[in-house]
Amino acid sequence: MLRVGLRRRVRGRVCVRIGDSWSILRSSVFVKSNYRTSGSAGFRAGINPVALLYRIHRGTFAGFIVGVVDFSRRRAAWITAGLLLLTVVGAIVGARGLRVDTDIDKLMSPDLQWRQREGEMERAFPQNVDLLVVVVDGDTPDRAEDASAGLTNYLRGEKNLFKDVRRATAGEFFEREGLLFLSTHSVEQVTNQIIAAQPLLGTLAADPSLRGVFNALDLAAQGVIHNAAPAGDKLDATFNAVADATEAALGNRYAPLSWQHLLSGRQPTSRELRRFILTKPRLDFAKLQPGRQAAAAVHAAAEKLRLTPDRGVRVRVTGPVALSDAEFATLKRGAGVSGALSIGLLLFWLILGLRSIRIVVAIVATLLVGLVACADFAVLVVGALNPISIAFAVLFVGIAVDFGIQFSLRYRDERYRLDDLAVALQRTARGIGRALAIAAAATAVGFLSFVPTDYTGVADLGLIAGFGMVVALVLNLTLLPALLTLLRPRGEPHAVGFGPAVPVGRLLIERRRWVLGIAAAIAIAAAIVAPHIDFDFNPLHLQSQHEEAVSTLKDLMGDPDTTPYTIDVMTPSPSAAAVLARRIDTVPQVARTVTVNSFIPEGQKEKLAIIDDAHQLLDPTLSPAVVKPKPTESEILAAIDKTRADIRK
C-alpha cells in the first residue's frame, strides 16, 4: 500500500496525518495544501485494481459534492438571492395555478375494466350519479309523508343548487299502483279497514272540516248509545288519539292526529315512518367539500319549514356526496390545530437539537423554498391536485427536514473540531454528502415506484414526492450551506451529542447478545401473531362515526332494502335479468335480488278484484253529491259540545 505523509496548515493549526492514498485523494479535492512525501512509497504485491478504481470513483463523487458545497459557500449571496427570487416568482405562479380537484371518481384510472362498466351504468342511469340523499323520519307515517312532500317542493325551487330533486318512494306510479305491491292477504286487510271506517270517511267527505271531524266522532258515540255499534278497544283508541291531539294543541305542543294510524288501528313499522328524497346537487370540485352548500341548504329548508324533532320530524343527509364531504370535513376540522401543533413541535425539536436559531432559520428557509418548488412542479406537470396527491407537502417537509438536520448536525460537529466555517462545511460535505445523496435517491425511487399504478391519486403523489426528494437534496447542498455562510452561526463550545445517552449506548454494546436475543424473541412472537391479524375492508371505519352522513348510513344499513352493500348488473333485456337473478339468488351471500320485473306485481287479478269490490262500496261514500260549506266558529263549538255530551253518555 502506498503510504504518504501529509501535513496541512489551516489558520495556524496543524491537521493530523492522513494515512493512505485514498485519504490523500479525498483531501486533495477540496483543500489546497503543501505536502511532501515521506518514507518509502510503493505498491504492495497483490493490490486489487478493482478496489482501487472503486475508491477513485467514490472519491470523484464525494469530490463533486464537496465542490458544489464549497461553490455555494463562495457564492453564497448570489445563490441565496437567486433562489429566493425564483421562490417569490414561483409562489405567485403557484398561488394562481394551484388547485385541488376533490372529485374522488378521478382517483382511479378510467381505463380500468370496472371503471368502464361503472361509466356504462352511469350513462344509462345518470339520475343516480353524485346523489345527496335526504332521509326524513317522522313520528307518524302522515308526518313523514307531509314533511318529505313539503321539503321536496321547497328544494325543487333551489335551481342554483340542485339539478334534480325527487322522492324515491312516491309519485304518480306508486300512488296509483301501491296497493298491488302488497300481498293478497294485506290488500284484503287494508280494504276491510277502509270499509269498516266508511261512516267516518263518509262524514268527513261530506264535511271536510273540524266540524265534520267531531260530527264523525259523535256518530260513533251515538252508535254505542243506541246499541248500534259495540264499545271496545278500537273505539277507545279513536277517542284517545283525538284527545291526545287536542291536549297537545292546548299545551302549545305539535302532535297532529295520524289518520293512517287512526284508520288502520295498528302501530306503523319503521319503514312506514321513513321517506327518502334523492337530490343531484350542483357540485363545485374546486372546493374541499363540493356538496357542502347543497347539504346546508337542505338543513336550512328543514328549519324554515319547521321540520324539526320537536315537531316530530328529523331530517338528515347522507349518500356519496355527503360521505365524501364528511371525510374532507374531518380533515379540515383538525387541519388548523394539527398544522400549528406540527409546526410548533418541528421548531421546538430543531431548536432543542441544533441549539442555534440561525441554523434553524436556514433549515426552515430551505424547506420553504423546496416546498414552493414542488408546488410549481405539481402545477406544471400534474395539473390539479387530488385529495391524495396534496399530501406531498407533508411528505416533503417530514423527509426533507431530515436532510437539513443531518447536514447541520454534522456541520456542528465539524465546527467544534475545527472552528472554521469554510472548512467545517467542506468536511461536512465530504463526510455526509454521499450518504444524503444515496438516501435521497432511494427515497425518490420508492416514491416514483407509485407512478405506474392505476390509482391516479397515488401515482401523482409518487411523482411529486419523488421530484421533491431530488429538490431537497439539491437545496441542502446549495442553499443551506449558502445560508449558513451568510448567517454565520457561532462556533461550538461543546462537543455535539446527547451526553445522557452515552451510558445507554455503552450498555447496548456490552449486552449486545441480550439485545439481539430479545429482538429475535419479539420478531418470532410477531411472526406467530401476524397471520391472525384481520384486515378491515370497510372504508366507513376510516371516517368519523360522529358525522351525520356516516351515522345515517349506518342506520340505513340495518334495513336490507336500504343497505348500501349492493351490486348493480346490466343485462340486455328483462328476460336476461330474470335468468341472472335466479342464478344469483342461489349464492348464500345474497339476501335478495331486484330487477325491473320486480316492479310488476304478482297476483294482480285477485288483488284488482278485491280493490274493485271495495271501490263499489266506497265510491258513493267518498264522492258525496253535496259538500257542506265551511263552518263558522259557533257551528264548530256546537259540534264539539254535542260530541262531548254524547261521549259522556
Side-chain angles (χ1 to χ4, degrees):
M1 178 179 291
L2 178 64
R3 304 282 300 180
V4 181
L6 174 65
R7 291 184 179 276
R8 192 176 53 184
R9 188 176 296 275
V10 181
R11 287 194 178 183
R13 297 189 181 186
V14 178
C15 297
V16 297
R17 174 177 298 202
I18 301 178
D20 57 13
S21 60
W22 163 234
S23 298
I24 293 174
L25 178 60
R26 292 194 301 175
S27 301
S28 64
V29 173
F30 65 92
V31 178
K32 294 181 179 180
S33 305
N34 296 322
Y35 64 89
R36 55 185 175 84
T37 60
S38 62
S40 60
F43 287 95
R44 180 177 298 178
I47 188 170
N48 188 342
V50 176
L52 179 61
L53 291 175
Y54 175 64
R55 289 185 173 186
I56 294 175
H57 168 70
R58 290 176 59 186
T60 304
F61 184 63
F64 171 75
I65 294 178
V66 172
V68 171
V69 172
D70 195 50
F71 175 81
S72 301
R73 176 190 62 81
R74 289 185 282 107
R75 300 289 188 271
W78 287 101
I79 289 177
T80 302
L83 288 177
L84 291 181
L85 178 61
L86 290 176
T87 301
V88 172
V89 175
I92 296 174
V93 173
R96 294 178 177 178
L98 190 65
R99 60 187 182 89
V100 179
D101 189 348
T102 54
D103 187 357
I104 59 175
D105 289 336
K106 296 180 181 179
L107 294 179
M108 300 295 292
S109 171
D111 298 328
L112 293 172
Q113 188 175 8
W114 68 268
R115 284 298 309 274
Q116 294 177 354
R117 291 197 298 266
E118 183 183 49
E120 293 176 4
M121 182 70 71
E122 292 177 353
R123 287 188 292 272
F125 302 97
Q127 69 273 19
N128 294 333
V129 180
D130 294 333
L131 288 179
L132 180 69
V133 181
V134 183
V135 182
V136 180
D137 294 305
D139 289 347
T140 65
D142 312 64
R143 222 169 296 181
E145 182 69 18
D146 293 343
S148 64
L151 186 58
T152 299
N153 292 332
Y154 185 91
L155 295 178
R156 282 174 177 167
E158 300 289 337
K159 300 294 185 181
N160 58 324
L161 294 177
F162 299 95
K163 302 177 185 177
D164 180 50
V165 179
R166 69 184 190 278
R167 296 170 66 191
T169 55
E172 181 183 352
F173 176 78
F174 286 106
E175 290 174 358
R176 184 180 68 250
E177 314 291 351
L179 277 177
L180 294 178
F181 286 93
L182 299 176
S183 64
T184 304
H185 177 67
S186 297
V187 173
E188 289 180 346
Q189 285 185 320
V190 171
T191 53
N192 289 336
Q193 290 169 352
I194 298 175
I195 292 172
Q198 186 175 12
L200 174 63
L201 296 176
T203 304
L204 292 175
D207 188 4
S209 66
L210 189 58
R211 176 186 60 192
V213 171
F214 282 98
N215 285 338
L217 295 176
D218 182 58
L219 183 64
Q222 290 184 35
V224 177
I225 294 173
H226 298 92
N227 295 322
D233 294 338
K234 188 172 183 179
L235 192 59
D236 290 342
T238 301
F239 288 146
N240 287 333
V242 177
D244 291 340
T246 305
E247 291 172 358
L250 293 174
N252 292 322
R253 290 183 291 108
Y254 184 79
L257 182 66
S258 173
W259 289 98
Q260 290 192 38
H261 176 57
L262 187 66
L263 294 177
S264 66
R266 62 175 179 83
Q267 293 296 327
T269 63
S270 58
R271 190 175 301 175
E272 293 172 331
L273 298 176
R274 176 167 291 167
R275 300 292 185 272
F276 296 95
I277 304 174
L278 305 181
T279 72
K280 280 183 64 66
R282 300 185 185 277
L283 303 177
D284 184 2
F285 291 112
K287 296 182 178 179
L288 190 62
Q289 297 171 260
R292 179 183 178 184
Q293 192 173 2
V298 172
H299 289 298
E303 289 288 338
K304 184 175 182 179
L305 298 177
R306 302 183 68 185
L307 305 178
T308 53
D310 61 310
R311 294 176 65 84
V313 180
R314 181 171 61 159
V315 177
R316 297 174 292 173
V317 295
T318 186
V321 172
L323 288 170
S324 177
D325 286 353
E327 185 173 0
F328 295 134
T330 304
L331 296 174
K332 182 180 179 181
R333 188 177 301 116
V337 176
S338 61
L341 183 62
S342 299
I343 294 174
L345 289 175
L346 175 65
L347 295 175
F348 171 76
W349 289 114
L350 286 176
I351 295 173
L352 184 65
L354 299 173
R355 302 177 184 177
S356 172
I357 297 296
R358 298 182 183 183
I359 297 179
V360 172
V361 170
I363 292 176
V364 172
T366 304
L367 281 177
L368 293 177
V369 172
L371 193 60
V372 172
C374 290
D376 289 340
F377 175 80
V379 171
L380 295 175
V381 178
V382 176
L385 297 175
N386 53 59
I388 294 180
S389 62
I390 197 174
F392 82 89
V394 178
L395 291 176
F396 178 83
V397 173
I399 298 177
V401 73
D402 290 339
F403 294 171
I405 292 173
Q406 296 294 334
F407 188 95
S408 300
L409 285 176
R410 185 60 179 261
Y411 159 79
R412 288 187 60 216
D413 183 64
E414 296 293 349
R415 185 71 183 273
Y416 169 74
R417 296 175 185 275
L418 187 64
D419 191 15
D420 185 279
L421 188 146
V423 177
L425 286 175
Q426 293 169 350
R427 291 178 127 185
T428 299
R430 179 183 63 182
I432 202 173
R434 188 165 55 88
L436 288 181
I438 294 174
T443 309
V445 169
F447 282 126
L448 292 174
S449 65
F450 297 161
V451 174
T453 181
D454 290 318
Y455 202 157
T456 308
V458 175
D460 292 346
L461 174 63
L463 181 61
I464 302 171
F467 173 80
M469 294 303 98
V470 178
V471 170
L473 175 65
V474 172
L475 291 177
N476 278 279
L477 295 178
T478 55
L479 180 59
L480 182 57
L483 289 173
L484 291 175
T485 302
L486 294 177
L487 296 174
R488 304 193 68 81
R490 296 178 181 178
E492 300 294 333
H494 305 289
V496 177
F498 186 58
V502 174
V504 178
R506 186 180 300 114
L507 179 64
L508 293 175
I509 294 175
E510 293 174 353
R511 305 294 183 184
R512 56 188 177 275
R513 288 188 175 87
W514 282 97
V515 173
L516 293 174
I518 294 173
I522 295 175
I524 294 173
I528 295 174
V529 175
H532 301 283
I533 297 176
D534 294 328
F535 186 83
D536 188 355
F537 292 92
N538 192 343
L540 287 179
H541 294 166
L542 298 176
Q543 301 191 33
S544 172
Q545 305 301 302
H546 302 292
E547 290 290 337
E548 179 187 70
V550 179
S551 60
T552 303
L553 184 61
K554 292 184 68 175
D555 185 16
L556 299 179
M557 288 166 57
D559 189 338
D561 285 336
T562 57
T563 179
Y565 294 123
T566 60
I567 298 177
D568 297 325
V569 182
M570 292 184 65
T571 59
S573 64
S575 58
V579 173
L580 182 60
R582 286 194 293 269
R583 289 175 52 196
I584 296 178
D585 276 332
T586 61
V587 179
Q589 290 80 9
V590 175
R592 53 177 277 184
T593 57
V594 177
T595 70
V596 66
N597 301 311
S598 303
F599 295 94
I600 303 176
E602 297 179 352
Q604 294 189 44
K605 185 176 181 180
E606 295 82 358
K607 297 174 185 177
L608 288 173
I610 297 172
I611 295 173
D612 186 62
D613 291 342
H615 174 262
Q616 298 295 329
L617 293 173
L618 293 173
D619 185 56
T621 302
L622 298 178
S623 303
V626 179
V627 177
K628 293 183 178 180
K630 183 178 180 179
T632 62
E633 183 176 331
S634 59
E635 290 175 333
I636 294 175
L637 293 176
I640 293 175
D641 288 338
K642 187 174 186 303
T643 303
R644 178 179 56 185
D646 287 338
I647 290 177
R648 285 180 175 176
K649 294 180 183 180

